[in-house]
Amino acid sequence: MDTRATGDGRTVLFAARSAVALYRLLDVLPALSGDHRITRRFTLVPGSDYDTDTLAAIDALGGRTVPWAEACERSYDLVVTASPKGDLHLLRGPHVLLPHGAGFNKSIPGEGSADSASGLDPEFLRRAARHEGAPIALHALAHPDQVATVTAVDPTSASRAKVIGDLTLERVLASSPLRDRYRAALGTGARTLLVLTSTWGPESLIRRHPELPARLARQLPYDEYQLAFIIHPNERSLLGTYELTERLAPALDAGMILAGAHDEWASVLIAADALVTDHGSAALYYCAATEDRPVVSVHGGGGELIPGSPMGVLLDRVPQLDRAEDIAEALRAYHPGPGKAAAEAAFAPPGDAVERLRTEVYALLGLTPPTHRAAPRPLQIPAPSRRVPAAFDVHVEATTNDGVRITRHPVGTGGPPGHHLAVEHGAASEQLARSAGLLLRRPLLAPTPAPVDLTWTADGWTRHTLSAYPGCRAAAALLPSGESLLRVRGHEQPYTVRAEPLTEGERIVRLDPSVALSAAHARLLARPGEMPARLNCHIGERTFHITIRPATEAEAMAAI
């Protein structure tokens, strides 16, 4: 059957073997966007061990699929793929081959020709070149050096190779101005966002260091660092989301974000302040899109990384992390330069990749491109399923400037117990609430107003809580004003606690009221007969000024 349209109509088939290949193909869509003459269809190329999520991703997109057997019976005006592997020669029509990663950094043992770069294996390239019905009409590359690489492995394919640029990088760069929005959606705030990236296979971070996320969650103070994990779609496909989240449960329960496979992984890279990586190419997008922020390696060697590749350039020059306990030192050891050098080895100077691809594709289709400009689509705002810890071991250290240093770690990370256990009532288990030294309550956000409302006063709730939980030393209610009402067992009056915001340049940094409550609680317990009017609270490198005063009647009667 010939489904190539007559007249101005054209049918383009996007053929993907796996979810990661599909995501690369989706970055092509802006080159064809807004053209009613083009019909877009998708098919799943059989034979990959990592194809589980591909059809579901197409369905979520709302794309129309063609079963493989049916696709092989038809002819298309263009077939777009992101991998030369599989029986692509059975799909009739001129082929456009895109890379599905940044650079050609890995050699997969036992797959195709020995020691050849994945994606540039001459066995697969020559197989495609031998079939007249399915020729590679365009081999799109991201860097001029890659043309020489293709020429070395398969001169026939090199004759059709052109430097287009990296479409995923174009999206990342176009989305970089949204960094603050991404960080807000992730709940990062003023913390350092440390991102772990793992490729797939036996040499990947997720396989070699499965315990690293939990160890970092235990090591890094919650109020200073946020963790996120980017995992290659192949590993997600192999394990499934449920199995993956169960394996990562300790770190996820401590607040780590597991980035989504499509779009979200790249928006998390833009939001990142530092990176821990194996030899996967996601790190190259981070290096290209950020201002040479720190990169640390956990790649321990093996047969997959190709020496002299862009990732080889990067990993040879960045600090190595051997233990989670050394993460802060490893980040400080990074010196600017390697990230920029690696990105320049992987990507041609960015800009207009979508337009260049559109020019080539429309020439192959025999159509005049639309008059509107083609541009990369910004990455979506991330919406991760985030677990926010509700119970903390709070470590308190007195400082010489009449203040306290507060360091919090989520309960369950395996660290030593702190000065007190601070628990958010109603968000943590009753067992933790019974063990709390400080119980606090945030304002309730009712989804719909009740016809006859019922609520606590701040002082009423704190009195009730100290009565209901005899082991609790202090109870606090966070007020809508941003202040908090704190009642300490044995003290006659409640206190109002407020953390003053900091100004850093043109930005304002605010402290979570629950942290200020822990600082005030610790000081009032340490000096029961003294009423501190002002307290310096140190969180990492920052110092917040906290005021503590007797609560007014209006504050005590505030509805919570």
Side-chain angles (χ1 to χ4, degrees):
M1 182 185 300
D2 192 339
T3 60
R4 288 177 294 183
T6 59
D8 285 343
R10 302 290 187 272
T11 300
V12 177
L13 181 69
F14 293 90
R17 297 181 74 244
S18 62
V20 67
L22 172 68
Y23 299 143
R24 295 293 295 196
L25 295 179
L26 296 184
D27 291 339
V28 175
L29 296 181
L32 304 175
S33 180
D35 195 335
H36 67 278
R37 300 170 297 175
I38 294 176
T39 300
R40 303 149 191 85
R41 293 291 183 263
F42 296 85
T43 194
L44 176 62
V45 183
S48 173
D49 294 334
Y50 308 101
D51 62 1
T52 306
D53 299 325
T54 312
L55 291 177
I58 296 172
D59 187 59
L61 181 72
R64 293 294 177 260
T65 58
V66 181
W68 174 253
E70 184 179 335
C72 292
E73 295 174 354
R74 301 182 177 186
S75 295
Y76 295 89
D77 295 291
L78 205 64
V79 177
V80 185
T81 68
S83 170
K85 302 172 186 177
D87 292 328
L88 293 171
H89 61 279
L90 298 179
L91 298 174
R92 295 196 296 272
H95 286 215
V96 172
L97 175 60
L98 305 169
H100 70 268
F104 299 99
N105 306 289
K106 293 174 63 175
S107 176
I108 308 302
E111 179 182 86
S113 306
D115 300 324
S116 64
S118 181
L120 281 184
D121 193 316
E123 178 178 326
F124 296 110
L125 294 177
R126 290 166 188 159
R127 181 190 303 173
R130 285 196 298 266
H131 294 272
E132 296 182 1
I136 296 179
L138 171 64
H139 192 167
L141 298 171
H143 192 280
D145 290 349
Q146 294 172 3
V147 177
T149 304
V150 173
T151 302
V153 299
D154 186 54
T156 303
S157 298
S159 66
R160 302 178 182 91
K162 291 188 178 180
V163 178
I164 299 297
D166 189 285
L167 299 176
T168 301
L169 176 64
E170 300 285 293
R171 291 194 70 196
V172 171
L173 294 177
S175 305
S176 293
L178 300 178
R179 172 177 162 84
D180 285 348
R181 287 179 178 265
Y182 297 153
R183 290 174 67 87
L186 296 173
T188 305
R191 293 182 292 176
T192 296
L193 177 55
L194 178 64
V195 176
L196 288 72
T197 61
S198 175
T199 186
W200 61 281
E203 297 179 15
S204 64
L205 186 155
I206 188 66
R207 301 277 195 95
R208 284 188 168 180
H209 307 285
E211 76 294 338
L212 182 60
R215 288 185 176 180
L216 287 172
R218 180 169 62 248
Q219 175 70 21
L220 297 173
Y222 180 82
D223 300 309
E224 300 172 48
Y225 289 89
Q226 182 184 36
L227 284 177
F229 201 180
I230 296 171
I231 299 176
H232 195 282
N234 283 0
E235 288 294 333
R236 299 180 74 109
S237 179
L238 185 67
L239 293 173
T241 300
Y242 170 76
E243 178 65 24
L244 190 58
T245 54
E246 286 299 303
R247 293 187 181 194
L248 296 172
L252 294 174
D253 290 342
M256 185 181 77
I257 290 169
L258 182 60
H262 181 226
D263 270 21
E264 198 165 277
W265 71 271
S267 60
V268 168
L269 283 182
I270 292 172
D273 296 298
L275 194 75
V276 176
T277 185
D278 55 17
H279 58 303
S281 61
L284 295 172
Y285 292 104
Y286 167 85
C287 293
T290 63
E291 299 172 357
D292 214 348
R293 299 187 184 107
V295 182
V296 172
S297 168
V298 292
H299 178 64
E304 292 185 357
L305 180 64
I306 296 176
S309 65
M311 278 305 297
V313 170
L314 179 67
L315 297 180
D316 283 344
R317 298 175 58 190
V318 301
Q320 181 78 20
L321 179 66
D322 297 318
R323 303 186 311 151
E325 293 78 8
D326 300 329
I327 180 63
E329 180 181 348
L331 293 174
R332 286 193 297 268
Y334 178 82
H335 298 290
K340 182 178 180 181
E344 290 177 349
F347 307 112
D352 296 329
V354 178
E355 280 286 352
R356 284 194 292 272
L357 181 65
R358 182 165 77 159
T359 298
E360 297 293 337
V361 165
Y362 272 87
L364 293 172
L365 291 173
L367 294 176
T368 301
T371 56
H372 65 268
R373 176 175 169 77
R377 292 172 181 163
L379 300 163
Q380 296 181 6
I381 303 297
S385 178
R386 184 161 58 102
R387 305 177 190 177
V388 180
F392 292 89
D393 279 313
V394 182
H395 297 262
V396 179
E397 176 188 352
T399 61
T400 56
N401 59 346
D402 196 33
V404 294
R405 177 171 297 280
I406 298 294
T407 306
R408 301 194 305 167
H409 294 274
V411 169
T413 56
H419 170 274
H420 64 271
L421 177 64
V423 177
E424 182 179 344
H425 187 267
S429 70
E430 183 65 11
Q431 180 183 4
L432 286 172
R434 292 287 172 189
S435 304
L438 169 65
L439 263 176
L440 59 95
R441 171 181 166 127
R442 296 184 187 272
L444 298 180
L445 300 176
T448 55
V452 181
D453 196 19
L454 177 67
T455 189
W456 284 100
T457 66
D459 193 42
W461 184 83
T462 57
R463 287 179 181 272
H464 165 76
T465 299
L466 290 179
S467 175
Y469 294 88
C472 181
R473 293 181 295 183
L478 279 64
L479 305 178
S481 64
E483 298 175 329
S484 301
L485 187 114
L486 172 67
R487 180 171 284 279
V488 179
R489 190 179 298 279
H491 290 223
E492 292 184 6
Q493 81 237 351
Y495 304 96
T496 295
V497 179
R498 175 181 175 83
E500 301 296 334
L502 293 179
T503 300
E504 295 182 353
E506 302 299 324
R507 298 196 174 199
I508 297 173
V509 183
R510 290 186 172 88
L511 183 65
D512 188 314
S514 65
V515 184
L517 283 168
S518 278
H521 165 62
R523 170 52 65 88
L524 290 170
L525 286 181
R527 303 179 185 179
E530 180 182 330
M531 175 62 201
R534 196 173 180 86
L535 176 66
N536 291 322
C537 178
H538 304 282
I539 306 293
E541 300 298 321
R542 294 184 170 95
T543 299
F544 294 87
H545 301 301
I546 297 174
T547 57
I548 307 171
R549 58 174 175 78
T552 66
E553 183 177 354
E555 291 164 342
M557 296 302 293
I560 59 169

